[in-house]
C-alpha cells in the first residue's frame, strides 16, 4: 500500500544497495531517484526536488560529508547518512554539518523505512501549529516558515531540520526540563540510545547558533537532560 508520492534520492556507489533500496522503498509508495556519486547527484537535484536524501559517506569524488555540507548551503531537505563503520566519528561528523539522522550499513530495511517515516512526521508536525510565524526571544527572531534565526545585529542563520525541531521543542517548552528521550523523539521519532552522542551534537550546534558560549541559555541538567532558560516569559513573544 502506498504511503504517499514523496520522492527519495539515494546516493551510493553500490549498485546492489541502490537496487535493493529502490525496490523496497518503491514498494512502500515512494518515488525513488538514484545516483552513484556527487557528479550524478547534482543534476538530479537541479531537475527534481526530493523530499529526503539518503547519502552514503564513502563515495568516489566528493565524499558524503562534503556533499552534505554543500547541500546545506541552500537546502533544508532531510538527510540520512549511511555509514559502513560503527565508529561514532563519522556519525558525529555528519550531524555536526547538518545531517538529520544516520544509520549503519547492514541495516534492516524496515528500520530505515521507520526512520524515514519518523523524519517526515517530524517535518510535518514539528509544532508550527502551536507557534506564531515569527517568534522573538531575547535578541533573536525565529522565522518558523523560512526556518531561520535572525539576530538583532542582522546576522541570519539557516537551520537544518534537526536544528529547527530542537529549537521548536525548546521554545514550546521554555524553562521546562527536556529529557534525552524527549529530544530524541523530537529529532528522530524514537527514544535515545543509552550512549546516544547525537543529542549532544545537536545541543552543541544549537548553542553555537545562539552564541550560547556561557551555556546559560541552554542549561545542562546533569544526568537528566536540558532546559531552555528564559528569565521571564515576557522575553518570549510573537513579533
Amino acid at each position: 500500500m502506498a504511503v504517499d508520492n514523496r520522492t527519495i534520492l539515494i546516493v551510493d556507489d553500490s549498485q546492489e544497495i541502490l537496487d535493493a533500496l529502490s525496490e523496497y522503498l518503491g514498494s512502500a509508495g515512494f518515488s525513488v531517484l538514484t545516483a552513484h556519486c556527487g557528479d550524478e547527484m547534482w543534476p538530479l537535484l537541479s531537475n527534481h526536488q526530493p523530499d529526503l536524501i539518503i547519502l552514503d559517506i564513502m563515495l568516489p569524488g566528493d565524499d558524503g560529508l562534503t556533499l552534505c555540507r554543500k547541500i546545506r548551503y541552500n537546502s533544508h531537505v532531510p538527510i540520512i547518512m549511511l555509514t559502513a563503520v560503527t565508529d561514532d566519528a563519522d556519525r558525529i561528523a555528519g550531524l555536526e554539518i547538518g545531517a538529520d539522522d544516520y544509520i549503519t550499513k547492514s541495516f534492516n530495511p524496515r528500520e530505515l523505512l521507520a526512520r524515514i517515516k519518523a523524519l517526515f512526521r517530524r517535518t510535518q508536525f514539528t509544532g508550527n501549529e502551536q507557534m506564531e510565524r515569527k517568534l522573538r526571544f531575547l535578541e533573536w527572531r525565529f522565522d518558523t516558515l523560512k526556518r531561520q534565526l535572525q539576530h538583532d545585529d542582522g546576522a541570519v542563520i539557516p537551520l537544518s531540520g534537526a536544528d529547527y525541531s530542537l529549537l521548536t521543542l525548546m521554545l514550546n517548552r521554555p524553562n521546562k526540563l527536556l529529557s534525552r528521550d524527549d529530544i530524541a523523539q523530537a529529532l528522530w521519532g524514537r527514544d535515545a540510545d543509552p550512549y546516544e552522542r547525537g543529542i549532544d551534537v545537536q545541543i552543541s550546534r544549537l548553542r553555537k547558533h545562539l552564541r550560547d558560549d556561557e551555556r546559560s541559555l541552554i542549561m545542562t541538567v546533569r544526568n537528566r537532560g536540558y532546559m531552555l532558560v528564559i528569565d521571564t516569559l515576557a522575553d518570549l513573544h510573537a513579533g
Side-chain angles (χ1 to χ4, degrees):
M1 180 180 296
V3 175
D4 53 32
N5 196 34
R6 300 195 191 196
T7 298
I8 296 175
L9 170 60
I10 308 169
V11 187
D12 196 297
D13 61 345
S14 167
Q15 188 62 48
E16 181 179 358
I17 289 178
L18 292 180
D19 290 344
L21 289 183
S22 295
E23 180 178 358
Y24 185 79
L25 296 178
S27 68
F30 297 104
S31 298
V32 180
L33 302 170
T34 63
H36 294 91
C37 60
D39 288 345
E40 294 182 10
M41 179 190 76
W42 293 117
L44 291 174
L45 288 179
S46 296
N47 295 307
H48 304 272
Q49 293 184 329
D51 298 288
L52 183 142
I53 299 175
I54 299 172
L55 185 58
D56 187 21
I57 289 182
M58 299 299 294
L59 292 170
D62 285 344
D63 64 22
L65 297 176
T66 300
L67 295 177
C68 180
R69 186 180 296 108
K70 291 179 177 179
I71 292 169
R72 277 290 171 259
Y73 287 150
N74 56 17
S75 175
H76 304 301
V77 61
I79 297 174
I80 296 177
M81 304 296 297
L82 290 182
T83 174
V85 297
T86 57
D87 185 76
D88 278 345
D90 280 347
R91 309 183 199 183
I92 292 172
L95 295 175
E96 285 176 338
I97 60 177
D100 296 275
D101 202 353
Y102 55 81
I103 191 168
T104 56
K105 287 190 174 180
S106 74
F107 56 84
N108 186 318
R110 292 178 62 184
E111 180 185 358
L112 177 62
L113 180 60
R115 294 195 182 201
I116 290 169
K117 291 180 178 180
L119 278 178
F120 283 146
R121 285 195 300 270
R122 189 199 70 195
T123 55
Q124 184 175 0
F125 302 110
T126 194
N128 269 8
E129 68 278 2
Q130 301 173 10
M131 297 180 68
E132 299 287 342
R133 154 73 192 280
K134 293 184 179 180
L135 196 67
R136 180 173 177 80
F137 62 102
L138 305 176
E139 68 270 26
W140 294 98
R141 289 182 175 85
F142 177 35
D143 190 318
T144 62
L145 183 60
K146 293 183 178 180
R147 298 193 171 203
Q148 66 183 23
L149 283 167
Q150 182 171 354
H151 193 268
D152 286 347
D153 65 10
V156 175
I157 301 172
L159 301 176
S160 73
D163 297 333
Y164 175 78
S165 294
L166 180 56
L167 180 58
T168 299
L169 174 67
M170 289 189 156
L171 288 175
N172 272 325
R173 296 171 63 179
N175 302 315
K176 300 290 180 63
L177 177 66
L178 297 170
S179 70
R180 295 175 70 84
D181 282 344
D182 291 333
I183 294 171
Q185 284 289 343
L187 296 181
W188 306 305
R190 53 182 168 82
D191 288 344
D193 294 332
Y195 302 103
E196 181 65 72
R197 295 285 304 281
I199 292 174
D200 305 309
V201 173
Q202 289 301 149
I203 291 290
S204 178
R205 276 179 58 86
L206 189 55
R207 280 176 169 150
K208 182 177 179 180
H209 291 329
L210 295 174
R211 306 178 183 179
D212 188 21
D213 297 331
E214 302 299 323
R215 300 189 176 186
S216 57
L217 181 56
I218 299 178
M219 177 187 297
T220 300
V221 182
R222 187 173 178 81
N223 297 325
R224 297 186 63 194
Y226 299 92
M227 181 187 303
L228 178 70
V229 179
I230 297 179
D231 290 339
T232 66
L233 292 183
D235 292 329
L236 179 62
H237 58 274

